[in-house]
Amino acid sequence: TLISFSIKSLGALGLISRLNLGALELGDYLALGEIFSATDSVCTLQVLSQDKTPFLYSLVFGEGVANDATSVVLFNAIQNFDLGNLSTLKFFQFIGNFLYLFGASTFLGVATGLLIAYVIKKLYFGRHSTDREVAIMMLMAYLPYMLAELLDLSGILTVFFCGILMPHYTWHNVTKSSRVTTKHAFATLSFISETFLFLYVGMDALDIEKWKIVSETYSPMKSVALSSVILALVLVARAAFVFPLSYLSNLTKKTPGEKISVRQQVIIWWSGLMRGAVSIALTYNKFAKSGHTQLPSNAIMITSTIIVVLFSTIVFGLLTKPLIRLLIPTRHLTREVSALSEPSSPKSFLEHVSVDGPDADLENAVTIRRPTSLRMLLARPTRSVHHYWRKFDNAFMRPVFGGRGFVPFVPGSPTESSVPLLAPVSEN
């Protein structure tokens, strides 16, 4: 994200400044570079299968979410930075502000995630009512976002890290019926939220006032030139970090199966070309703080952002599925459940998990075929950070905060009375 931001900002200073759009300052060009660094990987994730391509799905999803969170944090840091008095001290203050927002948001997300897991593990009365338990899960999941906004931190980043911990601990602390209900409820809410976001973007495209201001001030060719420059910067900046970073990542891998192939790199590059609701929101935050603007330079920035979002979503989005089919033919895909993905339901999880203890071989615990690299990592973990984290997690974290293999048993619970307490097992 930082590489993409740097290239887009320098490109905006060198190219967009020559279009003579009006009173645009250094902060506007930096904000423009940051606005279009926020990707929208929804289209690609709708096409990719988490079961058939778990490694590629994880890369696209993780990079997309972390990208949005970092973009918002960096945007807020730029907004709070006084660009009128540039100095070495001010620059280090900007870096410190960015690190503070990033670190504090991460810490808040982790802390609230652990708090939610601990509280729900101790709330035994909720296990006699699925409705009550699901309601508590939803309300407490909203807590970190509200706290982040209250403390002027990044809500997206806070929810992101809280969301990492909740499936790992909290989801396993509720009854079987609540797990199924929660999973489907959040999936439904996610789909509805994405639909509303696209509706809002569509309504922003019909903002007649801004289009009228732009048409009266600038020629159509200038608007087309601005949108074309932004799209070109998006294409170049995306490629400038995907392929080099993938190459550096492959240097650390020993086997070909662990490396990111060229075809996968192209899909990752393509998945980040689409821009969505985050870019629209940041643009309005920067160029129309009062909800509307009469400045032509601000109006054309908003309309150009809308054009880029609509073009990238429609054109790049429509071409995503054919591109994936071309680069990864269907005959090369075998249905493999990722070792990092969640089971389709708690029942399927209970059918495949061994209860022999924490040292049980995962080869015997899971009967379905896994990707070679992930199976080797889980069955014979190397002395890595992942290995030591699993030991620490099994010894200290999950006994306190719950999680897979540490499901509390409540006598008399109608949904859990037939399910035996599982012994601690290694994390899938």
Side-chain angles (χ1 to χ4, degrees):
T1 305
L2 296 176
I3 296 173
S4 176
F5 160 72
S6 301
I7 293 176
K8 291 188 180 76
S9 298
L10 293 175
L13 282 170
L15 298 176
I16 297 179
S17 60
R18 297 183 180 182
L19 296 178
N20 298 323
L21 299 177
L24 291 177
E25 301 175 351
L26 176 61
D28 297 326
Y29 294 113
L30 293 178
L32 195 65
E34 187 47 53
I35 286 169
F36 289 100
S37 294
T39 62
D40 187 354
S41 306
V42 173
C43 293
T44 308
L45 294 176
Q46 294 296 328
V47 179
L48 287 176
S49 173
Q50 187 174 5
D51 293 338
K52 296 179 181 179
T53 55
F55 179 63
L56 184 59
Y57 185 95
S58 298
L59 284 176
V60 173
F61 173 76
E63 191 268 339
V65 176
N67 172 278
D68 286 348
T70 307
S71 298
V72 174
V73 172
L74 188 57
F75 179 84
N76 292 333
I78 293 175
Q79 292 292 91
N80 298 328
F81 183 60
D82 184 14
L83 296 172
N85 300 317
L86 293 178
S87 63
T88 305
L89 180 60
K90 292 288 184 179
F91 176 76
F92 283 108
Q93 288 179 352
F94 167 75
I95 299 296
N97 186 29
F98 171 76
L99 295 177
Y100 164 74
L101 287 174
F102 200 95
S105 301
T106 302
F107 176 79
L108 181 61
V110 172
T112 52
L114 294 176
L115 175 64
I116 293 170
Y118 184 79
V119 169
I120 291 183
K121 180 183 178 183
K122 296 299 182 181
L123 284 178
Y124 292 101
F125 70 88
R127 288 176 178 78
H128 297 278
S129 172
T130 300
D131 298 339
R132 187 181 304 165
E133 203 167 36
V134 173
I136 293 173
M137 283 272 286
M138 290 186 173
L139 291 175
M140 297 201 72
Y142 193 51
L143 173 66
Y145 180 83
M146 297 300 296
L147 289 176
E149 293 299 317
L150 181 65
L151 299 174
D152 293 328
L153 301 176
S154 172
I156 293 181
L157 192 62
T158 302
V159 171
F160 175 60
F161 281 96
C162 181
I164 291 177
L165 294 175
M166 287 193 69
H168 188 70
Y169 297 115
T170 312
W171 193 75
H172 301 282
N173 290 339
V174 298
T175 57
K176 183 169 65 174
S177 59
S178 296
R179 296 177 205 171
V180 177
T181 304
T182 301
K183 186 166 186 175
H184 289 290
F186 274 100
T188 303
L189 289 174
S190 173
F191 178 78
I192 293 174
S193 300
E194 291 175 0
T195 303
F196 271 102
L197 286 176
F198 279 107
L199 287 174
Y200 279 122
V201 171
M203 287 188 288
D204 288 334
L206 298 177
D207 193 345
I208 305 300
E209 179 185 359
K210 294 180 178 58
W211 290 101
K212 186 176 180 180
I213 294 174
V214 172
S215 63
E216 293 176 350
T217 308
Y218 304 101
S219 64
M221 290 303 299
K222 186 161 289 190
S223 297
V224 173
L226 176 59
S227 301
S228 301
V229 169
I230 293 175
L231 278 173
L233 290 175
V234 169
L235 290 167
V236 173
R238 181 76 185 169
F241 76 86
V242 169
F243 297 105
L245 292 183
S246 298
Y247 174 76
L248 294 177
S249 175
N250 289 339
L251 293 179
T252 64
K253 309 300 180 182
K254 297 181 180 179
T255 61
E258 297 176 342
K259 296 182 178 181
I260 306 174
S261 66
V262 176
R263 294 186 176 186
Q264 290 176 331
Q265 293 177 31
V266 173
I267 294 177
I268 295 172
W269 168 72
W270 185 269
S271 67
L273 296 179
M274 286 161 278
R275 296 298 179 267
V278 177
S279 296
I280 292 286
L282 294 179
T283 302
Y284 271 88
N285 184 278
K286 175 61 180 178
F287 298 106
K289 293 183 178 179
S290 59
H292 64 279
T293 179
Q294 299 296 329
L295 289 176
S297 58
N298 288 353
I300 195 174
M301 287 299 176
I302 294 175
T303 56
S304 297
T305 302
I306 294 174
I307 292 174
V308 171
V309 169
L310 293 178
F311 181 86
S312 63
T313 301
I314 295 174
V315 177
F316 295 155
L318 288 176
L319 294 176
T320 298
K321 193 169 185 178
L323 178 67
I324 293 178
R325 287 181 175 178
L326 176 64
L327 296 177
I328 307 180
T330 306
R331 64 179 181 272
H332 292 162
L333 297 178
T334 56
R335 186 170 183 82
E336 298 173 337
V337 179
S338 168
L340 301 180
S341 64
E342 294 180 0
S344 57
S345 68
K347 182 179 179 181
S348 64
F349 161 71
L350 293 173
E351 290 174 352
H352 294 103
V353 173
S354 173
V355 294
D356 294 335
D359 297 326
D361 188 358
L362 290 181
E363 298 269 5
N364 299 325
V366 182
T367 59
I368 53 180
R369 187 160 55 93
R370 306 294 180 120
T372 303
S373 59
L374 292 175
R375 184 176 71 242
M376 292 296 293
L377 173 64
L378 294 171
R380 303 174 183 84
T382 58
R383 298 293 174 177
S384 61
V385 175
H386 178 72
H387 169 71
Y388 290 111
W389 160 249
R390 286 178 57 205
K391 293 182 62 177
F392 175 77
D393 191 34
N394 291 335
F396 300 101
M397 299 296 290
R398 290 199 292 175
V400 176
F401 299 103
R404 184 172 297 173
F406 292 85
V407 180
F409 174 70
V410 184
S413 176
T415 57
E416 293 291 332
S417 56
S418 60
V419 180
L421 178 64
L422 294 177
V425 297
S426 299
E427 180 71 12
N428 280 12

